Amino acid sequence: MAHILKDIQHLVRYAHWAYTNDDGAEFRSMASDLGGDVQYRKLEIVTPFFKDALKELTPNTHVHLGVRNGETLVLAFRGTDFPFTVENLFNPKRWWGFWGNVWTDVAFHMTQIQWLPKKANPPVLVHEGFLAAFDNLEKNDRLRSTILHLFSGLPPAKIEVCGHSLGAALATLCALWQATRQSPGLDRHGQ
């Protein structure tokens, strides 16, 4: 068991560090073993909760991306944002983010994944809120194009996804999304 934990301890750290709420610089400084062009190292996931009104306060979660050992793509998804600290008490963007994450968490109806190959039988049903959040990331090919930019147009040799809570749900959907695209070796870890 100890050897398994040793093999994934970096993913546990990435899932924890994914909770940083800046432009990605803090995550990059903590996860110094990850590389890649800075402009492709973080994606915002807009939750469909008042997304057209109050655009500056649009709730979101995010995923940090990076390249480990020159060949492995790492995606670390942040979970539900809890802005219950003194510095965030009067930060409206963090509070809108919190309420958007709450909406994502409680939108619990089961729904079918539209991007799965049609041959899935029986159809795969997932939590509606988690799927809406992930679909926003996948919309307009944002995730795929970001990954290709990180790897100069080539697919990565390996992929590791991680997250905590809401982030683990998004990481699981990401693993399924990658697997349906005949991706290379994929390690899935959630907490």
Side-chain angles (χ1 to χ4, degrees):
M1 180 63 114
H3 72 284
I4 294 171
L5 294 176
K6 184 178 180 280
D7 290 343
I8 65 167
Q9 67 184 347
H10 64 285
L11 295 173
V12 174
R13 286 193 309 270
Y14 299 153
H16 174 71
W17 295 334
Y19 279 91
T20 58
N21 281 297
D22 59 2
D23 62 357
E26 190 175 350
F27 179 88
R28 289 190 305 274
S29 72
M30 291 184 287
S32 58
D33 59 325
L34 296 180
D37 189 334
V38 171
Q39 72 182 34
Y40 301 110
R41 296 281 309 274
K42 180 181 175 187
L43 283 175
E44 301 271 349
I45 302 168
V46 178
T47 307
F49 176 76
F50 297 131
K51 72 177 184 178
D52 292 326
L54 305 169
K55 283 193 188 269
E56 272 187 44
L57 302 176
T58 301
N60 63 70
T61 188
H62 49 252
V63 58
H64 294 277
L65 298 91
V67 180
R68 193 169 70 80
N69 299 331
E71 66 173 11
T72 302
L73 170 66
V74 175
L75 297 106
F77 289 85
R78 187 194 75 198
T80 303
D81 188 14
F82 289 100
F84 302 118
T85 61
V86 173
E87 67 264 13
N88 291 314
L89 196 56
F90 299 105
N91 182 340
K93 185 171 184 174
R94 292 292 300 281
W95 281 100
W96 278 105
F98 168 73
W99 287 113
N101 287 166
V102 167
W103 180 90
T104 298
D105 289 341
V106 300
F108 56 85
H109 288 72
M110 300 302 280
T111 189
Q112 191 169 346
I113 300 174
Q114 297 302 313
W115 41 259
L116 279 178
K118 297 298 180 210
K119 61 186 172 193
N121 191 8
V124 177
L125 299 176
V126 298
H127 182 283
E128 180 181 36
F130 299 158
L131 184 61
F134 182 78
D135 282 351
N136 178 270
L137 179 65
E138 198 250 344
K139 188 187 305 182
N140 297 326
D141 221 16
R142 285 189 323 142
L143 181 58
R144 183 179 170 281
S145 64
T146 299
I147 292 169
L148 288 175
H149 281 293
L150 275 174
F151 283 88
S152 302
L154 301 171
K158 292 171 68 178
I159 299 170
E160 297 176 329
V161 296
C162 61
H164 174 262
S165 184
L166 169 59
L170 296 172
T172 301
L173 286 170
C174 183
L176 179 61
W177 178 80
Q178 288 288 348
T180 63
R181 276 136 188 84
Q182 293 136 359
S183 292
L186 180 63
D187 291 333
R188 303 163 190 96
H189 300 284
Q191 303 175 3

